[in-house]
Amino acid sequence: MTKIYGTGMYDFRRHRVAEYPVAADGLPLPEKPPESKPGSDVPSSMTLIEIQRDRLTKIAAENWAKTADSGPKKPFSPDLVNEIYYTELTVKAGRKPVPLQRVMILEVSQYLENYLWPNFSPETASFEHVMSMILMVNEKFRENVAAWICFYDKKDMFKAFLERVLRLKEGRSLTIAEKTNYLLFMINAFQSLEDEIVSEMIMRLASLECWHSLSYGRFQMELCLNKNLIRRWRRIAMRAKDATKRGETFDPTTIVEANFLRNLIEEFLVVLDSEVFCKPKKDEDDDLVDVHGSEDVNDSCLLYCERFMEFLIDLLSQLPTRRLVRPLVADVAVISKCHLSALYRHEKGKLFAQLVDLLQYYEGFEIDDHKGVQMDDDDVLRAHYKRLQAFQLLAFRKIPKLRELALANVGSINKRADLAKKLSVLSPEELRDLVCVKLKLVSKDDPWSERVDFLIEVTVSFFEKQQSQKEAINALPLYPNEQIMWDESLVPSINYSGEGCLALPKLNLQFLTLHDYLLRNFNLFRLESTYEIREDIQEAVPHLLAYVNNEGETAFRGWSRMAVPIKEFRITEVKQPNIGEVKPSVVTAKVTFSISSYKAQIRSEWNALKEHDVLFLLSIRPSFEPLSSEEASNASVPQKLGLQYVRGCEIVEVRDEDGTLMNDFTGRIKRDEWKPPKGDLRTVTIALDTAQYHMDVSDIAETGADDVYGTFNILMRRKPKENNFKAILESIRDLMNETCIVPKWLHDILLGYGDPSAAQWTNMPDLIKKVDFKDTFLDAAHVIESFPNYKVRFINSDGTDNSNPCPPFRIKFPENLESMVHALPGNVISTQTSNDGSSMQDDHSDKVELVVEAYVPPDPGPYPQDQPKQNSVRFTPTQVGVILSGVQPGLTMVVGPPGTGKTDTAVQILNVLYHNCPSQRTLIITHSNQALNDLFEKIMERDVPARYLLRLGQGEQELATELDFSRQGRVNAMLVRRLELLSEVERLARSLQLPEDVGYTCETASYFWLLHVYSRWELFLAACAQNQDKPTFIQDRFPFKEFFSNTAKPIFAAESFEKDMRTAKGCFRHLQTMFQELEECRAFELLKSTVDRSNYLMTKQAKIVAMTCTHAALKRKDFLHLGFKYDNLLMEESAQILEIETFIPMLLQRQEDDRARLKRCILIGDHHQLPPVVKNMAFQKYSHMDQSLFTRFVRLGIPYIELNAQGRARPSLARLYNWRYKDLGDLSYVKENEIFQRANSGFSYDYQLVDVPDFHGRGESAPSPWFYQNEGEAEYIVSVYMYMRLLGYPASKISILTTYNGQKLLIRDVINRRCVPYDFIGPPHKVATVDKFQGQQNDFILLSLVRSRFVGHLRDVRRLVVAMSRARLGLYVFCRRSLFEQCYELQPTFQLLLQRPDHLSLNLNEFTTFTDRHVEDTGPVQLVSGIEEMANIVNYKMHQVYQARVTSYQSDQYSAYPGQSAMEIDASEENGTENTEPSVGEMDLDNGTEKDASLPPDATSNGSAHLDASVEENRDV
């Protein structure tokens, strides 16, 4: 079969990349740039000249850098490593554990790959050598590039390196910065368990051997609770005895894993207890001053403590490490000690405290650690009662002073305060004896056991009742408030660089339970939407120009498109809480505002507000006097904006000034009664968040806080497409409250456990033994090509051999499917298309026989519309393997490299599935409307009836089809079709000489079918059985001959009984289909309302339903309410969909009899291309929120099929990215077709890297953070575009791509200045970022890489793959060669690019787009020296065109002179004799002084460098 990758092993490399803002070349830095602000995580800027002159750059060039102009290298010097470590890689003080800029320069220069690792020896390597390697690995993780890949060539040596790392602290004292770096390395290692070379060593630390360091009491307790571990412990003890017998000295307590974690924890406690606080220092850099003024917080120790909390959280949030590490954490009582520490209560310890709380949450997580089973609320409650009961029994028997506690009811000692009060009667010694000896919660040797508060904290934490996680999530407001929005620990700002940790959950390989999976995604999705809302508020509020007027009230001088002042706000209703809850069930309010100051366009936007839209209520109170510059620099964003409170709400209804209901979709206002809204006042009824309201009211009652709801003065809206977060959060919360049933075959895999291949179709029950492939195979040779490892035998339907088989084919697969994964279609593409029968019958005795039945499909009917649509794609063997896997039950994972026909394959799966399982329903999910429409348009070209197709969501209008596939469109189509069919029934009745009223309704038509049509057919068949020897019998006696008299030609030839009988059955099949359709229309006849009809269509009629993942998440509640059902899920672009948005579509239906109905899940994507878009860098880099479910499955080693033949690009272009895939070849089409054989006219090469030097003395610039631009590349790339247009290349075939939004805007400015004024040039098809262009393609791509100092986010190989794979015929890359050629991750591509000249090579002898030159023939080469020469070439060609136009105008001819270019002909014909362009002399590249474009690029593009755009720079969304 198709080669399956990933079975049972991990084979994924992580590629997430950091990006950093830098200042422009040659421009003075602002007084306080973002990089230099205290507490900022962003490295300071360096110019290119500074980097080139830097000491490290010179050392790298002399010792290890591999560049084109580098000479011989010096031999390895350990002293150099030591010297670099102490002078460049260590810090003396401050929060940062490394000098980030120095580390970046070393890492980019390949210090690890070319110097440290090749010269590493486990015996001789110094401490400094090992620490330097640790720092380089940490930097790779910080930048999110593949960290372990360079170690793969010497795996044994890498194990020795890890052994050195584990023993690095023996006999040596590390500084706090070194401890932090060491700890960060361990965090990174435990986050890389998919790498076998890492996990094999690292997982030893979390093995049973670590229990050697448990206190004796805890050890006994844990073994009693987990008796299955006793046998494993005895085996460990036996190894020690065996060693003693052999005369060897073996002490298991001395091995590394026995004490490693315990030693780390104790080291942390020492730092926490004695090193975090220090005496005040008079150091300018130290800006952390204790709130009490008595002590300073040591920044480096603070970071170490935060990182250690992150380390423990990671260990407890993964089941493989949690099982045996959790008792160790509990034995040392880490959480109790943290709670009692001074740092936990200190204002600078806020992040530390949040991390401690997160650790406490995971320590008490509701799961059976050893069974890996989630505990429900009842299980947790029973365990709590059992624990308390045992404690009470102990107290009753052994501790008389606790008699009151022993006899108390459980409810009276549930709470922390009550329990602590009961324990306070014991003396310190009695309490210590209880906790350390009787309960064995901590060791008596622990120094903390002398503290009474510690002993009470440990006991109370163990016995108190914890709040249910379900209750906690239900009490959480869905809308963010001002406290969460500007909490940097939860919602970091854009300049997060990965140096610190955050109080956020991580999405890595595995999850504890489904509840844990949903909760982590819920929290991250909520915070990501909070970040976006915060950005919108910071954009809208400043435009309002708030001030305090003479009456002391807030007023507004300005206006904002998205925010409007409130005229009146009042709460109208607060309903009683539901039973068992404390929050109100409903809180509604009315808000009145005016839109009188807005223009028509913005008025219409406000008037478009509708039910369920989310709005935000803001309370603005600006300071009476403007903030001074010093106050402004220290003020928070809310203080600068005067923002007091933020509350979210949902619209219930909108009314105009007359009180008339607007935008009603519930049917209360009929369409013919609708009137346009009147007046300028609008009153919106809103539903407030009840949980937030309860919290606010409680605060007012308990603490006398301000009445939040009396202060709102601004109503803010958001763009509809970006404002769907609440519905998605509700869907996730609903899933957490339900008994969430995932199919059993998918459950463990989803959480990351079990056999990775368990859900593969060969391991599933209920397989389809015989698959009807319909039109998948074009001929018999295609079948043989598709199954090269099988001996194919063709048979007829009766079982006899078939020597001349023709499609369609049914294939019966062998009973033994164990070896089928490797036996079915391989990755070698066969080009043999011979139909020679002898080759088909060639006997291969060593191959398993595959029986293929060639059958004759029944006659579909006499009319053209009866004929099925046929597939014309010759699927490769791998694609056939995908189709087979997709049709069978289970999980199918398909990796589709660029241009490999993912959509065609997906459509054929749907086609074959529909015909093999006609009663099953399939749900199609994609990330984008464009992809969904592409898929849907191709489905309509297959043999699937249009009445079974349904497209949900907003993108349906963009479908390039005359048919309407929305719910309303399908309902209308069914009603129209009903009338057409009933008229056909009337015609049939007339042909049978019966009354025509049988076609009045679908019901009467069904009676007519039974009484008159089917009965006549049965009589006809009985008569035929006795007259088979009469060729004309059927022609004479066919009862419906008159009905079919309107066919194009006579239906019966009367030559053969068999042929006529087949035709007669085809005619009857036409009638059958007609009456079957009428039966399906019957429901639409009975249901009267449009809503009922559309719901019926979605839940019953449609067999293939398509929607985007966002629509699925938004409408989940509606789908459940309507009883929506489906059996199969096909997800395209699944590597671009957030994990939770992939999961929700699996659960859009209620389970049946406590089991999930879902039978198949087909995920199609490409994890080597760009991941889902996450706007906040912290959620990308720290929490890995941009990891899709598809990518995680690949990391887990779940089997996948990789399509292996591309049909998009020239083979030479495909080589630029096919190295990233396992076995990506080319289809014969791209090898043989003439268009791929011919060269690109005017260019010597089909692809080329063009080195762009500094332009006007500078390379990249950054007018604002992350808003990178490169004017030289912009001018050069536009010149090349103009050159192509002047040769005659169509603008629609050229796209300009870049890696940054800033450069995109700059290129558009240059195009507007240099191209748009000339109608024969004009703008290109698209100017876009690489990220936005994913999923699209064009013949010619001009690519600008922008950066000239640091490589930036192109180090993400996935972005490189997308950039290189967009072009079909020509790719020209404009960049700084010296920077990109030494980037380790990009080497395979840039080595190919640099085999050709790095100056643009033109063929100036070609004047039109036509050339008969072969692609490998460069012709006469003209190397362009640079930007100016290219501009001169373009100016000369422009002058030629201009002269030709003048001549054409003077001679009044519309045909070109001999030798004139095709472009000139096109221009003359298209534009006639008009000459409206500026003269060529008016266009000057250097100063941009044309009449139509007086502004230089910087004046427009730099001025538009707004934060909104810069937010996306690192993600290019």
Side-chain angles (χ1 to χ4, degrees), residues 199-257:
S199 62
E200 186 178 337
M201 289 290 293
I202 293 299
M203 282 302 292
R204 282 170 41 196
L205 303 178
S207 63
L208 194 57
E209 279 80 359
C210 73
W211 280 18
H212 281 292
S213 61
L214 286 178
S215 64
Y216 184 66
R218 171 71 64 170
F219 175 72
Q220 286 182 310
M221 183 168 68
E222 291 295 335
L223 281 184
C224 289
L225 291 173
N226 306 288
K227 295 186 177 179
N228 57 327
L229 294 178
I230 296 176
R231 189 177 300 169
R232 286 175 58 189
W233 186 260
R234 284 176 179 162
R235 283 202 296 269
I236 294 172
M238 285 297 295
R239 288 206 299 270
K241 289 181 181 178
D242 293 342
T244 307
K245 289 178 183 177
R246 293 194 300 267
E248 301 172 4
T249 56
F250 176 71
D251 183 0
T253 61
T254 61
I255 59 177
V256 175
E257 48 265 43

Side-chain angles (χ1 to χ4, degrees), residues 450-655:
E450 303 289 339
R451 292 177 53 173
V452 173
D453 59 344
F454 169 71
L455 295 173
I456 289 179
E457 174 70 23
V458 169
T459 311
V460 170
S461 298
F462 188 76
F463 288 110
E464 73 172 326
K465 183 184 178 184
Q466 302 290 340
Q467 184 185 20
S468 161
Q469 293 166 6
K470 192 180 290 186
E471 291 173 5
I473 205 71
N474 289 334
L476 199 63
L478 290 179
Y479 305 105
N481 59 29
E482 71 287 345
Q483 294 172 333
I484 294 173
M485 277 186 190
W486 281 277
D487 185 341
E488 283 290 315
S489 304
L490 295 173
V491 190
S493 56
I494 189 173
N495 63 354
Y496 176 81
S497 68
E499 292 178 272
C501 59
L502 301 165
L504 299 174
K506 293 180 182 178
L507 305 182
N508 200 31
L509 277 175
Q510 298 169 317
F511 299 88
L512 298 177
T513 62
L514 272 179
H515 185 87
D516 177 42
Y517 173 81
L518 290 167
L519 191 59
R520 291 195 216 184
N521 280 284
F522 176 87
N523 285 329
L524 285 175
F525 195 91
R526 178 169 173 260
L527 294 173
E528 165 72 359
S529 59
T530 298
Y531 169 76
E532 294 175 15
I533 294 163
R534 183 179 79 184
E535 295 297 304
D536 288 344
I537 290 174
Q538 291 177 188
E539 163 64 18
V541 171
H543 293 289
L544 294 167
L545 303 177
Y547 70 100
V548 177
N549 61 20
N550 296 331
E551 287 77 28
E553 297 175 348
T554 302
F556 304 96
R557 292 194 187 94
W559 66 276
S560 172
R561 182 178 196 135
M562 309 303 287
V564 64
I566 292 174
K567 296 282 187 186
E568 182 186 7
F569 174 89
R570 69 179 190 278
I571 291 178
T572 55
E573 185 180 28
V574 180
K575 287 191 175 180
Q576 291 290 328
N578 293 326
I579 295 174
E581 294 183 352
V582 293
K583 64 183 182 183
S585 56
V586 175
V587 180
T588 57
K590 288 193 175 181
V591 183
T592 303
F593 60 92
S594 171
I595 57 172
S596 58
S597 60
Y598 290 128
K599 292 181 180 179
Q601 173 61 33
I602 304 177
R603 288 169 67 96
S604 65
E605 291 174 7
W606 282 98
N607 285 334
L609 291 175
K610 60 185 183 300
E611 186 182 11
H612 300 307
D613 282 355
V614 172
L615 301 174
F616 287 89
L617 299 162
L618 312 181
S619 176
I620 309 288
R621 285 189 210 160
S623 57
F624 191 75
E625 294 182 358
L627 298 174
S628 67
S629 58
E630 184 179 350
E631 289 173 334
S633 63
N634 296 323
S636 64
V637 174
Q639 288 170 339
K640 291 177 185 175
L641 298 177
L643 185 66
Q644 301 295 315
Y645 305 108
V646 178
R647 296 292 181 267
C649 56
E650 182 177 319
I651 294 178
V652 177
E653 63 179 29
V654 185
R655 294 184 181 271

Side-chain angles (χ1 to χ4, degrees), residues 1323-1340:
H1325 171 253
K1326 191 166 284 188
V1327 179
T1329 58
V1330 170
D1331 299 51
K1332 278 289 187 182
F1333 207 69
Q1334 180 165 342
Q1336 302 175 60
Q1337 63 184 29
N1338 211 339
D1339 285 359
F1340 302 97

Side-chain angles (χ1 to χ4, degrees), residues 1174-1193:
V1174 176
K1175 291 186 178 180
N1176 190 301
M1177 284 301 297
F1179 302 133
Q1180 277 189 47
K1181 293 163 60 177
Y1182 183 82
S1183 296
H1184 316 314
M1185 190 182 175
D1186 65 339
Q1187 175 180 257
S1188 63
L1189 181 69
F1190 185 91
T1191 301
R1192 184 165 68 88
F1193 277 178

Side-chain angles (χ1 to χ4, degrees), residues 302-331:
L302 175 61
L303 177 63
Y304 173 79
C305 293
E306 292 167 354
R307 282 291 189 190
F308 196 84
M309 287 296 99
E310 178 193 353
F311 175 61
L312 290 184
I313 289 166
D314 286 352
L315 292 180
L316 296 191
S317 59
Q318 296 182 114
L319 202 55
T321 51
R322 173 190 177 85
R323 283 191 171 109
L324 300 171
V325 172
R326 182 170 167 266
L328 193 59
V329 174
D331 187 36

